[in-house]
Amino acid sequence: MGLNYEPYVSAEKDLPELTPRVIVIGIILGAVMTAANAYLGMLVGMTVSASIPAAVMSMLILRGLNFKDVSILENNSVQTMASAGESLAAGIIFTIPALLVMGVWSDINWLDTFIIAFLGGVLGCMFTIALRRVFIVEEALPYPEGVACKEVLISGEEGGGGLIAIVYALIIGAIFGWVVKGMHLTKHMVHRAFDLGAARIYVGSEMSIALFSVGYIVGLRIASFIFLGGVLGFGILVPLYGLINGWPAFKVNHLGEVLPVSSTEAFMIIWNEQIRFIGVGAMVVGGVYTLWSMRKTILVGFKKALDFNEGEGETPLRTEMDLDMRKVLVVCAVITVLTFLFYWWKTGSILLALVGAGFLAVAAFFFSAVAGYIAGVVGSSNSPVSGMTIATLLFTAMLVWLVGDVILGMPEQDLMFATLIIAAVVAVNAAIAGDVMQDLKTGHMVGATPHKQQIAELIGVIVGAIVIGPVLWLLNKAFVITKTHCSRLLAEGQEVDCETALLAPQAELIGSIIQAVFGGSL
């Protein structure tokens, strides 16, 4: 699918694309998908690309409203807007709840959450525009979910058996969700550890139609990487650690009481407190290696994007018309300035704000490239956004410690907050970058106009940024976000049920890392 690839809609055709009805439906679906993915991500620790369900819903809504002249490019624009909000949710839920974990916030701050989501989301859209031709046209990376979304759009356009299969799948997913979540007839997750002498074996199963579907989309090879990661962590490293160092026999609850733990609880304690940090190290090394190996590709892509805009006497094909790179660079500069002002406002230090904004501009661009590349290989659902966030977190913590602690002598709570808000913007940026590339791949294959699709992405990002704060606030009120925050509320005398608290594992991990860095126990 390189330079000679023929799209489904030829460049000579000019079909309706970013129409008023598309914008209205895209905004509604974007808000819904943002909320759904925020809940899913904090429940199971993994988000799912919303491009395919958004494409299905778009087709059903537009046809259900009796619009007879709906084009495939309109459906593509709707799914683009909806999936932008979904991916933005991933970057936010991996970071913002960490402020609850650390006790910096007692509840979700709507304004700060919106600003972080807006800055990171717009920056992610802008940076990936320069890389579209390299990753999608010339490198022709597979982008598995982008290809699957293209197939869904074409099935909807042509009708027949493909569309019927999509509707059946939608019904099956809804029924399964109602049985598990609505009627509580079965548990979505079952796990247990068994003792074999001094060793211990863990067996677990998570019944998730969403994750099963992602595995089917990305294929056996990519899915096996994730499975083998689980085998390495739960099947080898945790038992090995327990065998050498012994298994925990007790735990301390939120009231300070010492309680015995079961075999399964002991297994999970070792995974939480020891083994998952090995995963962090692996992702940091992998991220650095990826950045280094891609350095020439990134520079070439950026140069070609500028040259393409400045070409004289050339009229590019409709399917190759990106947003003007000069305007893109202006927007990036404006976002960097706004980021500086935000950091200055929240930290009270102009020096820390300058350092933070400068670091963000560099880190955000490179992590956009990494996220876009990884999404092209394994899909955006499998893209390790949390790993890239943690890599950023470690570098950010070093800068904040040097400037905020050594030079300015800021309190520990302020240092932790400053570190988190910088890392959060980069996390949102990386999450959006992977999604943008996935959507642009779909658009490239169906014959969309890139600059119209990029505008749709920006609209979706703004909608997601507006919605995500209230959604997190509602989820925190309904379930309580993270076990750590729930335990703190119990200790304060509030009546909450920590059994139903959302796990938000990445936020728990990020919060514990920041506390360990500035508490000296990392």
Coordinates of all heavy atoms in Angstrom, one line a residue, residues 38 41 63 89 96 178 226 238 293 371 381-382 442 454 511:
A38 N -12.9 5.7 28.9 CA -12.4 6.1 30.2 C -12.8 5.0 31.3 O -12.0 4.6 32.1 CB -13.0 7.5 30.6
G41 N -10.8 1.7 30.4 CA -9.4 1.8 30.7 C -9.1 1.7 32.2 O -8.1 1.1 32.6
R63 N -28.0 6.1 8.3 CA -29.0 5.4 7.5 C -30.3 5.4 8.2 O -31.4 5.5 7.6 CB -28.5 4.0 7.2 CG -27.3 3.9 6.3 CD -26.8 2.5 6.1 NE -25.6 2.4 5.3 CZ -25.5 2.5 4.0 NH1 -26.7 2.6 3.3 NH2 -24.4 2.4 3.3
A89 N -8.9 10.0 25.9 CA -9.3 9.5 27.3 C -8.2 8.6 27.8 O -7.9 8.6 29.0 CB -10.6 8.7 27.2
I96 N -4.0 11.5 35.1 CA -4.8 12.4 36.1 C -5.2 11.7 37.4 O -5.0 12.3 38.4 CB -6.0 13.0 35.3 CG1 -5.5 14.0 34.3 CG2 -6.9 13.7 36.3 CD1 -4.7 15.2 34.8
W178 N -24.5 -6.9 29.0 CA -25.7 -6.9 29.9 C -25.6 -8.0 30.9 O -25.9 -7.9 32.1 CB -27.0 -6.9 29.1 CG -28.2 -6.9 30.0 CD1 -29.1 -7.9 30.1 CD2 -28.6 -5.9 30.9 NE1 -30.1 -7.6 31.0 CE2 -29.8 -6.4 31.6 CE3 -28.1 -4.7 31.3 CZ2 -30.5 -5.7 32.5 CZ3 -28.8 -4.0 32.3 CH2 -30.0 -4.5 32.9
I226 N 1.7 -9.9 23.5 CA 1.0 -9.5 24.8 C 0.9 -10.7 25.7 O 1.1 -10.7 26.9 CB -0.3 -8.8 24.5 CG1 -0.1 -7.6 23.7 CG2 -1.0 -8.5 25.8 CD1 -1.3 -6.9 23.2
V238 N 7.2 -13.7 38.8 CA 6.5 -13.6 40.1 C 6.8 -14.9 40.9 O 7.3 -14.9 42.1 CB 5.0 -13.4 40.1 CG1 4.4 -13.5 41.5 CG2 4.7 -12.0 39.5
S293 N 16.6 4.6 16.7 CA 16.5 3.9 15.4 C 15.7 4.7 14.3 O 15.9 4.5 13.1 CB 16.0 2.5 15.5 OG 14.7 2.5 16.0
A371 N 4.8 6.9 19.0 CA 3.5 6.4 19.2 C 2.9 6.1 17.8 O 2.2 5.0 17.6 CB 2.6 7.4 19.9
S381 N -4.7 0.0 20.0 CA -5.1 -0.6 21.2 C -4.0 -1.2 22.0 O -4.0 -1.3 23.2 CB -6.2 -1.6 20.9 OG -7.4 -1.1 20.4
N382 N -3.0 -1.7 21.3 CA -1.8 -2.3 21.9 C -0.6 -1.4 22.1 O 0.4 -1.8 22.6 CB -1.4 -3.5 21.1 CG -2.4 -4.6 21.0 OD1 -3.1 -4.9 22.0 ND2 -2.5 -5.3 19.9
T442 N -6.8 4.7 7.6 CA -8.1 4.4 7.0 C -8.5 5.4 5.9 O -9.0 5.0 4.9 CB -9.1 4.5 8.2 OG1 -8.8 3.6 9.2 CG2 -10.5 4.1 7.6
Q454 N -7.9 15.8 9.2 CA -7.2 16.4 10.3 C -8.0 17.4 11.1 O -7.9 17.6 12.3 CB -5.9 17.0 9.7 CG -4.9 15.9 9.3 CD -3.9 16.4 8.2 OE1 -4.0 17.5 7.8 NE2 -3.1 15.5 7.7
G511 N 1.5 7.1 40.1 CA 1.5 7.8 41.4 C 2.5 7.3 42.3 O 3.2 8.0 43.0

